[in-house]
Amino acid sequence: MQIPNWSIIISALKKWPLGKKIFFGNLFLLILPLLILAAFMLPAPFTPANPPLPQGPEAGPLAGSLPIRFLPGLLVLVGTLLSLCAAFFLSRWLTAPIRKFAEQFDAPGKNGPPAYNGGCETTFLMETLAQYVELLRTSREKLGTEVQIRKSAENFLQIYKNIFDNANEGIFITDANAKILAINKAFSTITGYEPAEVIGQNPRILNSKRHNAFFYERMWHDLGEKGAWEGEIWNTRKDGSIFPEWLSINAIRNERKETTYFFATFYEIGELKKREKQITFMAYHDMLTRLPNRAYLENKLTKNLAALPAEGGKLAVFYIDLDNFKNVNDVFGHNQGDELLIQVTQRFTSALSENDTLCRPGGDEFILLMEHIENESIVYLMANRLLAVLKKPFLVDRKKIFVNASIGISIYPDDGATGLDLIRSADTAMHKAKREGKNRFFLFTKGMHEVIYNTFRIENGIRLGLKNREFVVFYQPKINIQTRKTSSLEALIRWKKGDELVPPNAFIPIAEESSLIDDLCLFVMEETCAFQSLMKQQRVAVPVSVNISPRQFHNADFVDIVEDLLGRYQVAPEYLEFEITETTAMKDVEHTLKIMHRIREMGILFSIDDFGTGYSSLGYLNKMPVSTLKIDKQFVHDLEEHGGIVATIIAISQQMHLNVVAEGVETEEQLLRLGAMGCQEAQGYFFSRPLPGDQLLAYLLAETAKGRLEQT
Ligand code: C2E
Ligand code: CA
Ligand code: CA
């Protein structure tokens, strides 16, 4: 016999629905007592102790209807039927709520447990509940994450709110119809409006009426097209004051690209604009006098010229340069110089009308633009007025200072087509005024540009010439009229350009306007010292004088350079002399005197060149360490006419115990007359033209040989 597999049976039983289990359980419980009862009621087997029941009349009351032995079976049958019914209804009644409960899970969520398929309700419920518990757990986890996300979103919202509230920029948000929905604190601070006063309003309440309809049209156009607009805008505060701000507006759109909100930020730019104005002012003005500067003038000129009528429109440019202003700075210091410039500005300004613009391009220069020139006489009047306002002395730090100016004037259209041309022409004319003696004005003429071009050409030529050793020094003897012997020489520079010998008058004045004269002077002194060595070797050494320009006295190294040269070439100081003109001597007298004394202390003698042509003061001449006066050749040339001057110069030199040399002696007659007048020395073509070093050396050697011959 096969052993039944209990575990399969048990698990199959487990799967039974609860109703079945209760049904069979009840059935079993109900039928069991019935069966026991029936068993008791069953007739005992026919044993001697138990004989079969009597049949017939002695069988009792039942004996006649049903055989008594079927009675237990009948009872069991009826009992079973009743039990069946009771078990069925009991099982239905007991399991009804559980089934109902299980059936509630009949339509679970998509990912939920499977529907109840009629099996064991409790198993189904347990499995389902387990799955629900799992579902609940994952849901709770999800919820946790969700809560976390919500929390951080809330945090972010709080941060955004803080940023919104505390931003330095004013912020406002409007709906699509530009109705203000929210503003931040800075909005209130900047505009003065509290939230209650603006929320629900249109930002138009800030309108300053500074911008026209077109401005706003463009703004809305940009917002529509690009979804953003930013720019400078003037708005009004609650108190009515207007202010500039930088405004950025962004349209916020939904997925359908419809604008739902506008987000706008702005900040005040009043301070910025003020600074911007300051910077622009600084870029176009001179900070000392607060006058417009050159850049401003050039701009204005360009604009004005463009606006002038094609025919007949005229304007004038004045280039004004203060004379000798450098001296004021040197003597009184830069602060006083600045003060003087401010006062000069005030005086000039007082002479102007509203059509005139005075600028200061820098230093001691001013440029005046005069518009609407009807005739040139206005220009002359203005120039005279400008010079006239400078006539009275200036009072700076309780000191009286006199200042003049040189003015050059150019007129449009004759003197230049552009602003720059006009300024350049006026500058050229101003330089002409300087050259002609300062404190005056000149109108520009075409020829002036040629002079400038020439100057430029010569300056460059000198620079190159020095490099290429194109310069040479010639020497001209000065003769003792009594002995007719060479007493000294004068060094005279020449520029050898190919075969041509350029005379110094063609380039020295130009070199004197720049530092080129320093280089030329150094060259002549070096050549002279080298020539001294040659003369010394040949035993014919005589002193040589070198012409010194006024600029040398302002060269801080001049004395050192001279000292160095004497040392390097081993030249005794008494063999070097300096010739300075009266004008040089009288220029910045105090300073010149100081330098002259230092040089004289070194043992070098001074001559005053071209004496009688300048304006030297005899008082100062007395203070100067001068040993010789040179009579200018123009007086010698016409002794008949200038005899008186020559005699006076000779008398002065005798009075002051000075040596006197006559220049430009070309004839014996001149020589004799000068000798008779008491002149000690003569220089001129009569004896010798200026000669190159080797020829002059030969001249000296010949003279010495002749002298020796005469002695024997
Ligand atoms: P300066 O110092 O008065 O020189 C005298 C000028 O008279 C020289 O002209 C000379 O050649 C000229 N001369 C001499 N004897 C006669 C004569 O009998 N008749 C005529 N008509 N002229 C005579 P140069 O060499 O042309 O020099 C002209 C000026 O150039 C000089 O006048 C001087 O002021 C300047 N110069 C010459 N060399 C130098 C130099 O090395 N340095 C500076 N700073 N100036 C110089
Ligand atoms: Ca000279
Ligand atoms: Ca001279």
Side-chain angles (χ1 to χ4, degrees), residues 343-398:
Q343 289 192 30
V344 168
T345 304
Q346 287 161 353
R347 293 228 191 140
F348 279 157
T349 312
S350 72
L352 308 180
S353 75
E354 55 181 15
N355 283 331
D356 309 326
T357 312
L358 182 69
C359 310
R360 181 177 172 235
D364 55 353
E365 293 175 352
F366 295 84
I367 303 178
L368 170 67
L369 167 65
M370 233 184 140
E371 295 170 64
H372 312 301
I373 306 287
E374 272 132 38
N375 53 55
E376 281 187 14
S377 60
I378 297 181
V379 174
Y380 283 95
L381 270 174
M382 175 58 86
N384 279 318
R385 223 183 304 157
L386 291 173
L387 293 179
V389 293
L390 299 180
K391 283 266 157 2
K392 273 200 232 150
F394 289 87
L395 205 64
V396 177
D397 199 21
R398 292 203 221 116

Side-chain angles (χ1 to χ4, degrees), residues 345-605:
T345 304
Q346 287 161 353
R347 293 228 191 140
F348 279 157
T349 312
S350 72
L352 308 180
S353 75
E354 55 181 15
N355 283 331
D356 309 326
T357 312
L358 182 69
C359 310
R360 181 177 172 235
D364 55 353
E365 293 175 352
F366 295 84
I367 303 178
L368 170 67
L369 167 65
M370 233 184 140
E371 295 170 64
H372 312 301
I373 306 287
E374 272 132 38
N375 53 55
E376 281 187 14
S377 60
I378 297 181
V379 174
Y380 283 95
L381 270 174
M382 175 58 86
N384 279 318
R385 223 183 304 157
L386 291 173
L387 293 179
V389 293
L390 299 180
K391 283 266 157 2
K392 273 200 232 150
F394 289 87
L395 205 64
V396 177
D397 199 21
R398 292 203 221 116
K399 284 178 216 100
K400 274 186 188 171
I401 302 177
F402 287 89
V403 178
N404 299 322
S406 300
I407 303 174
I409 306 161
S410 62
I411 296 175
Y412 176 85
D414 296 346
D415 304 336
T418 67
L420 277 182
D421 288 347
L422 288 167
I423 294 174
R424 206 176 303 132
S425 297
D427 187 19
T428 305
M430 184 275 288
H431 275 100
K432 166 92 173 155
K434 288 263 179 211
R435 276 197 304 275
E436 297 290 318
K438 302 177 180 172
N439 191 24
R440 65 198 63 216
F441 68 88
F442 269 98
L443 255 79
F444 175 79
T445 58
K446 290 264 167 352
M448 286 180 187
H449 269 327
E450 278 155 39
V451 172
I452 297 283
Y453 174 71
N454 203 32
T455 305
F456 176 74
R457 206 172 46 84
I458 290 175
E459 276 182 359
N460 272 346
I462 294 172
R463 242 170 244 127
L464 266 174
L466 276 165
K467 237 194 230 164
N468 300 339
R469 301 199 60 83
E470 290 171 6
F471 291 96
V472 284
V473 177
F474 278 30
Y475 302 91
Q476 188 180 32
K478 295 177 215 172
I479 311 293
N480 182 307
I481 297 178
Q482 292 292 311
T483 62
R484 300 269 175 128
K485 280 192 181 143
T486 303
S487 52
S488 60
L489 309 175
E490 179 176 3
L492 295 159
I493 194 167
R494 299 286 180 270
W495 187 356
K496 215 171 174 184
K497 274 183 158 178
D499 290 339
E500 190 196 356
L501 263 190
V502 184
N505 289 336
F507 61 90
I508 288 286
I510 290 167
E512 277 179 335
E513 282 181 14
S514 69
S515 62
L516 282 171
I517 192 66
D518 296 339
D519 303 330
L520 288 178
C521 178
L522 183 66
F523 169 76
V524 175
M525 287 197 295
E526 281 221 73
E527 287 291 299
T528 302
C529 289
F531 188 60
Q532 276 291 356
S533 308
L534 273 178
M535 286 196 294
K536 215 157 103 183
Q537 277 171 20
Q538 305 288 333
R539 297 171 186 278
V540 287
V542 281
V544 184
S545 63
V546 171
N547 293 284
I548 302 294
S549 295
R551 228 184 135 101
Q552 256 62 68
F553 285 91
H554 289 281
N555 178 349
D557 302 329
F558 184 60
V559 179
D560 295 339
I561 290 172
V562 174
E563 219 162 15
D564 169 67
L565 276 175
L566 293 181
R568 247 186 316 131
Y569 288 92
Q570 290 294 301
V571 175
E574 47 291 6
Y575 279 85
L576 188 63
E577 289 178 10
F578 287 152
E579 293 188 16
I580 57 168
T581 62
E582 281 174 281
T583 329
T584 306
M586 295 313 292
K587 209 168 214 169
D588 198 0
V589 175
E590 299 297 331
H591 175 76
T592 309
L593 267 176
K594 232 187 325 180
I595 304 287
M596 282 177 85
H597 277 288
R598 281 182 62 190
I599 293 171
R600 182 67 192 89
E601 277 159 25
M602 281 163 59
I604 295 171
L605 300 177

Side-chain angles (χ1 to χ4, degrees), residues 174-230:
T174 74
D175 63 13
N177 298 319
K179 196 164 80 179
I180 298 176
L181 301 176
I183 63 166
N184 72 342
K185 283 183 200 150
F187 181 103
S188 300
T189 317
I190 299 171
T191 65
Y193 284 108
E194 290 302 322
E197 294 168 303
V198 285
I199 286 179
Q201 302 270 12
N202 188 294
R204 195 177 301 130
I205 60 161
L206 302 171
N207 194 321
S208 67
K209 305 206 168 53
R210 266 228 180 176
H211 307 284
N212 53 20
F214 178 71
F215 177 87
Y216 292 102
E217 263 168 39
R218 276 231 67 86
M219 178 194 282
W220 284 111
H221 173 266
D222 279 8
L223 279 171
E225 290 279 301
K226 302 178 208 155
W229 179 90
E230 70 172 338

Side-chain angles (χ1 to χ4, degrees), residues 490 547 579 581 608-611 630-633 663 683:
E490 179 176 3
N547 293 284
E579 293 188 16
T581 62
I608 300 286
D609 208 353
D610 305 341
F611 193 78
K630 289 185 83 177
I631 304 169
D632 191 70
K633 58 179 174 287
E663 284 183 331
Q683 176 185 357

Side-chain angles (χ1 to χ4, degrees), residues 65 81 259 294 632:
S65 53
L81 279 174
T259 298
R294 193 186 176 111
D632 191 70

